[in-house]
Amino acid sequence: MFRPYSAGLRRLLGRPQPDFFARAVESWQEAPAATLRFYPALALPGQIDRIRQSVFASLPDTIEALTRDGEKTEGPTVAWRFRHVDLIDGVLFSNGAELHLRPRRRRFGLAGRPNRTISGALYETWVTNRWFGSWLMDELVTWPLAEGTGRPLRTGQPPKPGSHAARYLELAGATPGHVSGDVHFDELILFGDLANNADKARRQRELRARLVKGRELQPLPGVFLLRGNSGDPRVLSNERDLADRLATERGFRVIDPLIASVDEIVDACGAARMIVGVEGSQMVHGVAAAPAGAGIIPIQPPDRVAATLKQLSDRLDQRFGLVVAEGEGSAFSLDWSDLAGTLDLFE
């Protein structure tokens, strides 16, 4: 039976969807599990009490990741090999199981049988296709695993010339092939690279080294990365006031990533002592380029606290600060004393 229709029939009949990864013909470890030392975020008293909701993980797991103090074992990095997989409208189908990589463009997600057969290794996920920050902090770090197969592939069109993504690929030396349209994979390799283990930290540091290679970096007290109204709604009402005050009183450079080039951002952040801004994808620009020991302070909305940037800063041996704003929903504000006091914890 045509694989996508098999998966659709299961849904219509109310049958449970099978585990896609259980369809692999082979699996192996790309890197072992590792027991690592973690340090808690630096925070003023009462910051944890301000947290109402989290994203990307449960609230207890998010708080644990932010406050972890001691050793913890992170799982291995794994790979799976599949045979006879169809890629139809951004969804992988294998013997009745499906794995979504992108939102479907067609109403039913189906067309005729793929008329092309290829083999290769995909290193993307739904999350890295959904958020630019995830693409930069995770997908570019998984790229070397796919490159090691000799057949690195990515779905969709190449990034537009001159875009942030295109420049990061150039700096990283990443040159994947791109798969557009519906295809059949005679052989497909996928990776499970979420574990924050020692090998992922190594690859993260190697990416940073590529980003800053050949630059004459000038130390800065700090960089504030503006978020503004970009991306998912997350508006810090006094963002500009805080940025201006950091520039005036603390010598920070204020950068709008929507306007600045990748090179301008990396040049500023590559030797900065502090990276500050509203929690979100624009902060990954700074964290990925900042040196070991730099302070990372995302301003967290109380209804949307995340520990993803803490995981990234852990890989780079940076120090993380927790400051939670006050307000409701997607609009919030932060008192200057909370930000200044958190900055002082790093002295």
Side-chain angles (χ1 to χ4, degrees):
M1 183 181 290
F2 184 28
R3 275 169 284 275
Y5 286 107
S6 176
L9 182 60
R10 283 179 178 273
R11 285 194 297 272
L12 288 174
L13 295 176
R15 293 183 180 179
Q17 293 298 309
D19 179 3
F20 184 91
F21 294 97
R23 300 300 197 254
V25 297
E26 182 185 6
S27 65
W28 64 92
Q29 286 192 9
E30 287 280 343
T35 299
L36 305 174
R37 177 68 166 89
F38 295 93
Y39 297 90
L42 296 175
L44 296 173
Q47 294 300 306
I48 292 292
D49 296 334
R50 291 184 181 181
I51 300 175
R52 292 195 293 266
Q53 297 181 51
S54 62
V55 291
F56 306 127
S58 68
L59 184 56
D61 286 347
T62 298
I63 292 175
E64 190 278 331
L66 292 169
T67 60
R68 184 182 304 161
D69 187 6
E71 292 186 341
K72 182 175 180 180
T73 299
E74 290 282 343
T77 300
V78 298
W80 299 272
R81 188 189 312 276
F82 300 83
R83 295 299 306 274
H84 303 303
V85 176
D86 290 325
L87 172 66
I88 306 291
D89 197 21
V91 183
L92 294 171
F93 295 92
S94 176
N95 295 325
E98 57 187 70
L99 180 67
H100 292 244
L101 298 178
R102 297 174 178 273
R104 287 173 165 170
R105 295 179 180 272
R106 300 193 288 268
R107 183 177 179 184
F108 298 105
L110 302 178
R113 290 178 178 271
N115 56 18
R116 290 187 295 147
T117 298
I118 62 174
S119 293
L122 291 174
Y123 60 104
E124 67 198 88
T125 68
W126 174 277
V127 173
T128 63
N129 284 327
R130 171 63 177 83
W131 286 284
F132 174 81
S134 296
W135 176 84
L136 178 54
M137 71 177 281
D138 286 316
E139 188 172 309
L140 269 192
V141 181
T142 306
W143 148 259
L145 304 181
E147 183 186 32
T149 70
R151 299 174 295 176
L153 296 174
R154 198 180 191 287
T155 64
Q157 298 296 324
K160 294 180 180 179
S163 66
H164 282 167
R167 181 57 175 152
Y168 276 118
L169 287 173
E170 181 180 3
L171 292 172
T175 55
H178 284 81
V179 181
S180 59
D182 301 338
V183 300
H184 173 79
F185 283 95
D186 182 52
E187 180 182 84
L188 172 66
I189 296 174
L190 298 176
F191 302 96
D193 196 27
L194 286 179
N196 223 26
N197 56 41
D199 188 71
K200 189 166 186 178
R202 176 189 62 80
R203 285 180 274 124
Q204 189 75 61
R205 292 192 293 268
E206 289 180 352
L207 174 59
R208 181 193 177 268
R210 287 175 179 255
L211 297 182
V212 302
K213 183 178 179 180
R215 301 179 187 272
E216 296 183 4
L217 300 172
Q218 300 298 319
L220 285 173
V223 174
F224 189 100
L225 293 168
L226 295 169
R227 180 173 180 84
N229 296 319
S230 64
D232 294 341
R234 210 173 312 154
V235 180
L236 178 63
S237 60
N238 62 333
E239 180 185 48
R240 178 56 74 170
D241 291 339
L242 293 175
D244 290 345
R245 194 159 178 179
L246 284 173
T248 301
E249 299 185 17
R250 305 268 179 153
F252 273 51
R253 181 175 297 177
V254 179
I255 293 179
D256 184 347
L258 291 180
I259 298 173
S261 69
V262 167
D263 292 284
E264 289 170 333
I265 298 170
V266 174
D267 284 342
C269 297
R273 291 183 56 219
M274 306 291 301
I275 306 293
V276 180
V278 176
E279 194 282 329
S281 287
Q282 92 287 351
M283 282 287 288
V284 181
H285 288 289
V287 184
I296 309 299
I297 305 180
I299 299 171
Q300 304 266 8
D303 293 327
R304 193 187 184 291
V305 172
T308 48
L309 292 175
K310 174 69 163 61
Q311 295 173 321
L312 175 57
S313 66
D314 284 341
R315 294 178 215 156
L316 291 167
D317 294 323
Q318 298 160 343
R319 300 181 298 166
F320 193 86
L322 174 65
V323 60
V324 182
E326 297 179 287
E328 299 288 341
S330 59
F332 49 93
S333 64
L334 181 69
D335 191 271
W336 164 254
S337 63
D338 288 330
L339 180 55
T342 304
L343 286 166
D344 291 341
L345 295 175
F346 289 81
E347 297 299 330

